[in-house]
């Protein structure tokens, strides 16, 4: 389960277990002011940038996907939510088609001030394939 609030505290992005589909998780946004839940998509986590100007979603993280994509969506107004269909997206890859969206090839990121400035983890493994002692 993942949980994130918008910087102004109005919205909550939460992943909850999916009950009706084959997906592991479903992402929803709770609007405290309107007392409404907006479905977003399945198998993704999301959060807002520190300044509230961007909504950042990473797809496929519930499945430990090493090729997960992150979508950076610049918001029309700070601390808002992306413009999307009323019943959400059928697939997390549809984030790429939203207005003001940008796809990043890194998995889960630490957001910087712009979509060009972010931190991510890259794992590499080096093994001694032939079991030759190295001295």
């Amino acid at each position: 389960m993942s949980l994130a609030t918008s910087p102004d505290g109005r919205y909550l992005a939460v992943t909850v277990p999916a009950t009706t589909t084959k997906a592991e998780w479903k992402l929803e946004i709770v609007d405290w002011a309107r007392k409404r839940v907006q479905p977003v998509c399945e198998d993704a986590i999301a959060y807002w940038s520190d300044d509230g100007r961007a909504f950042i979603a990473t797809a496929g993280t519930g499945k430990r996907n090493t090729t997960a994509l992150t979508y950076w969506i610049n918001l029309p107004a700070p601390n808002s939510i992306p413009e999307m269909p009323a019943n959400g997206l059928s697939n997390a890859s549809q984030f790429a088609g939203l207005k003001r969206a940008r796809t990043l090839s890194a998995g889960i990121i630490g957001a910087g001030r712009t979509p060009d400035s972010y931190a991510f983890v890259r794992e590499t493994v080096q093994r001694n394939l032939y079991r030759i002692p190295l001295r």
Side-chain angles (χ1 to χ4, degrees):
M1 185 173 203
S2 171
L3 182 70
T5 58
S6 61
D8 67 354
R10 176 177 173 177
Y11 298 102
L12 178 71
V14 61
T15 55
V16 294
T19 56
T20 59
T21 64
K22 294 180 182 180
E24 215 174 318
W25 303 100
K26 63 180 177 178
L27 173 63
E28 297 175 335
I29 296 176
V30 178
D31 181 347
W32 295 111
R34 294 184 183 158
K35 306 216 183 315
R36 183 179 86 132
V37 175
Q38 166 72 46
V40 179
C41 67
E42 297 174 341
D43 288 330
I45 62 169
Y47 54 96
W48 285 263
S49 61
D50 289 340
D51 62 4
R53 295 176 189 252
F55 185 78
I56 302 159
T58 303
T61 56
K63 298 176 182 174
R64 296 192 53 86
N65 186 351
T66 59
T67 59
L69 296 175
T70 295
Y71 303 95
W72 181 293
I73 301 104
N74 288 316
L75 298 171
N79 300 310
S80 62
I81 61 174
E83 299 168 5
M84 67 181 97
N87 39 342
L89 307 172
S90 61
N91 186 312
S93 65
Q94 290 183 326
F95 275 116
L98 295 179
K99 291 181 183 178
R100 303 177 191 90
R102 180 172 178 186
T103 304
L104 306 174
S105 60
I108 297 174
I109 66 167
R113 295 179 191 251
T114 68
D116 296 323
S117 171
Y118 57 90
F120 64 97
V121 175
R122 179 175 295 150
E123 295 179 9
T124 60
V125 176
Q126 183 175 355
R127 299 180 191 263
N128 185 353
L129 181 63
Y130 299 104
R131 299 182 191 255
I132 299 169
L134 302 174
R135 295 185 188 201

